[in-house]
Amino acid sequence: MDEQVKQGEIETGNGKHLDEETLFVVSQTFKALSDPTRIRILNLLCSDEHSVNDIAEILDLSQSTVSHQLRFLKNLRLVKFRREGTSLYYSKDDDHIMNLLKQAIEHATHN
């Protein structure tokens, strides 16, 4: 490994170095995309914002499950929300991840 690489950094194939925090965030992002329920939620939010109740109804999930998964996704800044009265409306917060998700779906459905 290059002597100039600081301890805790890992060199990538493109010559850039990733620190431990970046590695953790990237791994958590892929963890988010590895769960079928979170993929379903993100796919739904790709096109429009939805309330927790709407997401639960459309995807046939419990509100508790949806809220739990949205909290996980919000902590990773993959989704954001706005409050309207007592309802929370969620939408995508990161086009990079949504594009990655769309590409993965296209790959999976490509013949």
Side-chain angles (χ1 to χ4, degrees):
M1 188 179 279
D2 191 303
E3 291 180 33
Q4 295 177 346
V5 176
K6 296 178 185 171
Q7 187 168 351
E9 292 184 335
I10 296 175
E11 186 172 356
T12 64
N14 62 9
K16 293 185 180 181
H17 303 285
L18 301 176
D19 59 40
E20 292 298 322
E21 181 179 347
T22 301
L23 287 170
F24 178 76
V25 171
V26 170
S27 70
Q28 289 300 297
T29 300
F30 278 105
K31 179 180 177 182
L33 295 175
S34 71
D35 180 85
T37 300
R38 289 191 288 263
I39 291 171
R40 292 175 68 207
I41 292 170
L42 287 170
N43 187 54
L44 180 63
L45 296 177
C46 274
S47 59
D48 200 8
E49 73 174 8
H50 292 278
S51 69
V52 174
N53 293 340
D54 288 344
I55 296 169
E57 185 177 321
I58 292 167
L59 300 180
D60 194 28
L61 299 167
S62 72
Q63 288 183 6
S64 174
T65 297
V66 170
S67 294
H68 173 75
Q69 298 300 345
L70 287 169
R71 189 169 26 260
F72 183 88
L73 295 169
K74 186 175 74 65
N75 287 340
L76 288 171
R77 297 185 332 237
L78 302 181
V79 300
K80 60 185 174 184
F81 72 92
R82 68 175 179 86
R83 184 179 299 275
E84 188 175 296
T86 59
S87 296
L88 296 177
Y89 289 86
Y90 284 84
S91 60
K92 63 183 177 181
D93 193 24
D94 191 323
D95 284 330
H96 296 104
I97 298 304
M98 294 306 182
N99 288 334
L100 181 62
L101 177 61
K102 287 177 187 177
Q103 287 180 351
I105 291 168
E106 287 174 10
H107 173 74
T109 58
H110 178 39
N111 293 335

